[in-house]
C-alpha cells in the first residue's frame, strides 16, 4: 500500500513528553503515535531509542533534544516519485466537501484566504486531501480528470525540465505555495494528468492506509511502454510486471512499492489515461450504495480481488476514483 511520511516532531513535543514519564514510556508512545503514517518504522524506532538513551544518561536539554529531532526529521520524506498528496478540482466545491465528508469522514471548510478558496480536508485532525474550485481562467479548469495525484520530488524546477525533455506537457508551471512547498501540474505523453510536489514545511498526506484515506495510486495508461519510459526518466521509478502475467505493473521508488500501473483495456469505455486514487473504506458496498443515492455512478461494481474488494466509481460531478477494502497480507 501507499508509503507515507511520518509526522515531524518539534522540540516542545519531546520535552513536554518527558514530564512524569520514563524514557522507555516516551519512546513507546512516539512509535505508537506515528506508526499509522510512518514511512520508516526502523527510523522512528532508532529516534525513540536515541531519545531514551539521552534521557537516561543526563537530564534532557532543549539543545540535546533538538539535535535528535533534527536528525529524525531530516530522515523523513516521500521518496521522489511517490504519490504524496491527492487533490480534487470541483466546480461545486461545497457539494464535494459534503459528499466526501459523508463517504470518508473528512472535515474541511473553504479557506477564503487561500487562492481559489482551497479547502484542506482532514481525517481525525490530520491532513489527508485537498478540494479546490477551478480557477476562473486557464490551466486546471480544463483537466479531464478532476482528481489530481501529486508525486513527490526534491526539486520542482528540475522535475519540470525533465518532464518536458521526456515528452510530457507542463499545464501549470512551478509555483510557490506559501512556505508549504512548490508545485506544478503536468501530463505524461499519454495524457495522464498528475501533480508534482516539492515539500518544504508540508511533506504531504499525514495519514494513509486506513479507512477514509488514500491507500493506493494507480496509473491507467493507453501506452504502458511510453509511460514506463516517461516516469522512469523523470522520477527514477521502476516498473515491475506482475509475476502471474497479468496486465499489471507495480511502481517502485527507493526500493519500495509506491503504486501500480495498468492499461485501459479493462476500464470502462471512454475512460481517459489517468492516475486513479484508491481510498480505503470499512464497508465498500455501503459506501458505493451511499454514493449512488447521492447521485454518483458505479463504473465497476464491487469485486473481490487478490488484494481486497474494489469498486470504481464517479462522484456526481464526474470525478473518478476507486474504493477498496484491503485484505491483510497473509
Amino acid at each position: 500500500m501507499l508509503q507515507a511520511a511520518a509526522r515531524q516532531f518539534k522540540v516542545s513535543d519531546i520535552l513536554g513528553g518527558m514530564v512524569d514519564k520514563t524514557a522507555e514510556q516516551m519512546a513507546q508512545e512516539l512509535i505508537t503515535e506515528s506508526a499509522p503514517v510512518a514511512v520508516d518504522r526502523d527510523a522512528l524506532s532508532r529516534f525513540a531509542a536515541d531519545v531514551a538513551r539521552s534521557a537516561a544518561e543526563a537530564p534532557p536539554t532543549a539543545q540535546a533534544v533538538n539535535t535528535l529531532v533534527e536528525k529524525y526529521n531530516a530522515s523523513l520524506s516521500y521518496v521522489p516519485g511517490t504519490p504524496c498528496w491527492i487533490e480534487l478540482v470541483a466546480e461545486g466545491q461545497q457539494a464535494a466537501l459534503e459528499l466526501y465528508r459523508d463517504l470518508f469522514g473528512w472535515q474541511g471548510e473553504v479557506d477564503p484566504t487561500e487562492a481559489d478558496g482551497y479547502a484542506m480536508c482532514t481525517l481525525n485532525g490530520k491532513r489527508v486531501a485537498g478540494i479546490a474550485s477551478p480557477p476562473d481562467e486557464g490551466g486546471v479548469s480544463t483537466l479531464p480528470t478532476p482528481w489530481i495525484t501529486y508525486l513527490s520530488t526534491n526539486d520542482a524546477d528540475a522535475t519540470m525540465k525533465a518532464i518536458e525533455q521526456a515528452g510530457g506537457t507542463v499545464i501549470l508551471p512551478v509555483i510557490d505555495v506559501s512556505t508549504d512547498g512548490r508545485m506544478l501540474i503536468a501530463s505524461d505523453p499519454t495524457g495522464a494528468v498528475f501533480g508534482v510536489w516539492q515539500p518544504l514545511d508540508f511533506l504531504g498526506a499525514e495519514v494513509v492506509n486506513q479507512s477514509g484515506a488514500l491507500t493506493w495510486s494507480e496509473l491507467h495508461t493507453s501506452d504502458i511502454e511510453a509511460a514506463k519510459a516517461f516516469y522512469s526518466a523523470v522520477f527514477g521509478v521502476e516498473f515491475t510486471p506482475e509475476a502471474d502475467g497479468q496486465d499489471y505493473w507495480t511502481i517502485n521508488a527507493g526500493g519500495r512499492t509506491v503504486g501500480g500501473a495498468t492499461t485501459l483495456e479493462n476500464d470502462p469505455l471512454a475512460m481517459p489515461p489517468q492516475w486513479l486514487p484508491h481510498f480505503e473504506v470499512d464497508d465498500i458496498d455501503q459506501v458505493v450504495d451511499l454514493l449512488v443515492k447521492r447521485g454518483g455512478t458505479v463504473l465497476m461494481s464491487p469485486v473481490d480481488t487478490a488484494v481486497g474488494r474494489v469498486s470504481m466509481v464517479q462522484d456526481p460531478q464526474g470525478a473518478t476514483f476507486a474504493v477498496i477494502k484491503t485484505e491483510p497480507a497473509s
Side-chain angles (χ1 to χ4, degrees):
M1 293 294 99
L2 192 70
Q3 302 292 337
R7 81 174 180 90
Q8 288 185 304
F9 290 106
K10 299 178 181 178
V11 174
S12 58
D13 296 335
I14 311 304
L15 292 178
M18 288 183 174
V19 178
D20 298 325
K21 295 179 182 177
T22 67
E24 289 76 18
Q25 289 174 327
M26 183 190 63
Q28 184 58 46
E29 288 180 8
L30 292 177
I31 294 174
T32 301
E33 180 177 355
S34 291
V37 294
V39 66
D40 192 338
R41 284 290 300 273
D42 291 339
L44 185 59
S45 296
R46 289 194 297 273
F47 168 66
D50 285 345
V51 174
R53 183 165 52 253
S54 176
E57 293 173 353
T61 65
Q63 182 177 3
V65 174
N66 186 59
T67 299
L68 295 174
V69 170
E70 289 182 351
K71 175 182 177 183
Y72 173 68
N73 285 343
S75 72
L76 295 180
S77 68
Y78 282 94
V79 174
T82 302
C84 64
W85 186 243
I86 190 75
E87 181 179 279
L88 176 65
V89 180
E91 291 282 353
Q93 187 183 25
Q94 187 58 46
L97 284 166
E98 294 171 1
L99 174 68
Y100 289 97
R101 175 198 63 200
D102 295 342
L103 292 179
F104 301 142
W106 293 355
Q107 298 296 315
E109 296 181 354
V110 177
D111 186 347
T113 66
E114 291 285 343
D116 300 314
Y118 197 85
M120 185 71 72
C121 297
T122 61
L123 181 66
N124 299 322
K126 295 185 177 182
R127 291 173 288 187
V128 67
I131 296 181
S133 59
D136 293 334
E137 298 180 359
V140 294
S141 62
T142 61
L143 293 180
T145 50
W147 274 112
I148 303 174
T149 295
Y150 283 78
L151 308 179
S152 188
T153 183
N154 294 329
D155 188 330
D157 292 296
T159 299
M160 183 170 70
K161 292 179 182 178
I163 288 170
E164 294 173 328
Q165 291 172 352
T169 301
V170 174
I171 299 171
L172 177 68
V174 177
I175 60 172
D176 295 322
V177 184
S178 64
T179 61
D180 289 338
R182 313 187 75 218
M183 62 160 282
L184 67 101
I185 296 175
S187 63
D188 67 25
T190 76
V193 174
F194 62 96
V196 175
W197 181 252
Q198 177 188 339
L200 297 175
D201 292 342
F202 178 55
L203 291 175
E206 295 172 333
V207 57
V208 294
N209 300 344
Q210 56 184 266
S211 183
L214 183 68
T215 194
W216 188 245
S217 297
E218 195 170 79
L219 173 64
H220 290 230
T221 179
S222 57
D223 188 336
I224 188 65
E225 294 304 321
K228 286 162 59 177
F230 174 79
Y231 290 101
S232 297
V234 175
F235 295 101
V237 297
E238 298 179 347
F239 287 71
T240 303
E242 289 288 276
D244 56 8
Q246 294 183 10
D247 183 26
Y248 203 87
W249 293 256
T250 58
I251 302 175
N252 307 289
R256 296 174 180 270
T257 298
V258 299
T262 187
T263 65
L264 298 177
E265 294 178 2
N266 298 320
D267 284 0
L269 293 178
M271 290 295 292
Q274 63 182 298
W275 279 88
L276 186 71
H278 288 56
F279 298 101
E280 182 78 20
V281 296
D282 291 328
D283 188 326
I284 189 169
D285 295 276
Q286 184 180 58
V287 169
V288 170
D289 287 344
L290 175 59
L291 178 66
V292 171
K293 290 177 181 177
R294 297 287 294 274
T297 303
V298 178
L299 302 177
M300 183 187 77
S301 298
V303 60
D304 294 319
T305 71
V307 297
R309 192 163 175 78
V310 184
S311 178
M312 186 189 301
V313 297
Q314 275 186 338
D315 73 14
Q317 298 188 56
T320 304
F321 61 98
V323 287
I324 182 170
K325 171 61 178 175
T326 56
E327 292 295 335
S330 58

